[in-house]
Amino acid sequence: MSKIAKLFKGSSSSGSSSSSKSKHHRSRGGPSPQEAIHKLRETEEMLTKKQDYLEKRIEQELMIAKKNGTKNKRAALQALKRKKRLEQQLTQIDGTLSTIEFQREALENSHTNTEVLKNMGFAAKAMKQVHENMDIDKIDDLMQDITEQQDVAREISEAISGPFGETFDEDELLAELEELEQEELKDNMKRMGGLPSVPSSKLPSARPSSHRATTKKRVEDDDDMRMLESWAT
C-alpha cells in the first residue's frame, strides 16, 4: 500500500472515529426537551396527513364497491377488503396519535415545571444573597433609632407650639376682670345721681274699671228685661 493510500486511510479512520465519538457524546447527553417536542409535533403532522389520505382512500374504495355491486361482484368484494384494511390502519393511527399527544403534553408540562423550578431557584439564590448583606441586630438598632428620633421630633414640636413666656391663671384673670366691671358700674351710677326714687303713694288698682264694666252690664240686662215685659203686656 502506498504512503498516500495509508495517509488517506488514516485520515478517514480518524475522521470516522471522531464522528463516532461525537455521536456517542450526543447520544449520551440525549436530546433537549425542545428538540423532543419538535420531533413529536412533526410526527403528529405526518400521521395527520396519513389520516387524511386513508380517509380519502376509504371513500374511493367504498365508491368502487357500490359501483360494482351488481355488475362485478368480485371487484366489489376486493374493494371492500381494501376498505377494511385501510380502516384498520386508520384505527391504528388514531391510537398512535393519542399516545404521541399524551407524551408531548407530558413532556411540555415537565419542561414548564423545570423552567419554573429553575427560575424559583434563581430567585431564591438572589434573595439569599440580599439577606446575607443584612444583619437582624443592625435592623433592630436602626428601628430603635428611628423610634427615638420620632419621639425627639414630637417633643420639639410640642415645645415649639406651646405658649411662650410667662403663663397666668385664666380663672384669676376673669375674677379680676369682673371686679373691674363692678367698680365701673358703681362709678356710672354715682355719676347718674344714684338709683331713681320709688314712689310712696299706692298705684291705682285696676278694680274700678272692672266694676264699671259690671255695672254697665247690669244696666243692659235691666233694659232687656223691661223690653221683654213690654212685649208680654
Side-chain angles (χ1 to χ4, degrees), residues 13-131:
S13 62
S14 62
S16 61
S17 62
S18 61
S19 62
S20 63
K21 286 182 181 179
S22 61
K23 289 181 180 178
H24 181 67
H25 179 71
R26 194 180 300 117
S27 62
R28 183 185 300 175
S32 64
Q34 293 88 347
E35 292 175 351
I37 292 171
H38 180 68
K39 290 293 183 182
L40 289 173
R41 288 188 182 278
E42 288 182 348
T43 305
E44 282 182 302
E45 292 178 359
M46 180 188 66
L47 292 176
T48 302
K49 292 179 180 179
K50 185 70 178 292
Q51 273 184 329
D52 296 336
Y53 170 74
L54 291 174
E55 287 175 355
K56 292 179 181 179
R57 284 288 310 276
I58 289 170
E59 290 179 359
Q60 291 176 359
E61 297 299 334
L62 184 60
M63 293 295 294
I64 293 172
K66 288 180 180 180
K67 183 178 179 180
N68 297 315
T70 56
K71 298 178 182 179
N72 190 347
K73 194 172 184 180
R74 183 178 178 182
L77 290 174
Q78 292 295 328
L80 290 176
K81 289 179 181 180
R82 289 192 298 270
K83 173 179 169 295
K84 288 293 183 182
R85 289 195 300 268
L86 293 172
E87 287 176 348
Q88 289 177 357
Q89 293 181 23
L90 186 61
T91 303
Q92 291 175 356
I93 290 176
D94 288 337
T96 305
L97 275 174
S98 298
T99 303
I100 291 176
E101 184 178 358
F102 175 78
Q103 187 178 13
R104 177 179 54 79
E105 290 176 354
L107 186 58
E108 287 174 348
N109 292 333
S110 300
H111 178 61
T112 302
N113 294 334
T114 302
E115 292 296 325
V116 170
L117 291 175
K118 187 187 298 183
N119 293 332
M120 291 177 66
F122 182 76
K125 289 180 181 178
M127 188 179 296
K128 183 178 180 180
Q129 185 176 0
V130 171
H131 289 164

Side-chain angles (χ1 to χ4, degrees), residues 148-158:
E148 291 177 359
Q149 293 303 319
Q150 288 178 348
D151 294 337
V152 171
R154 183 167 53 253
E155 291 177 359
I156 293 173
S157 298
E158 292 176 355

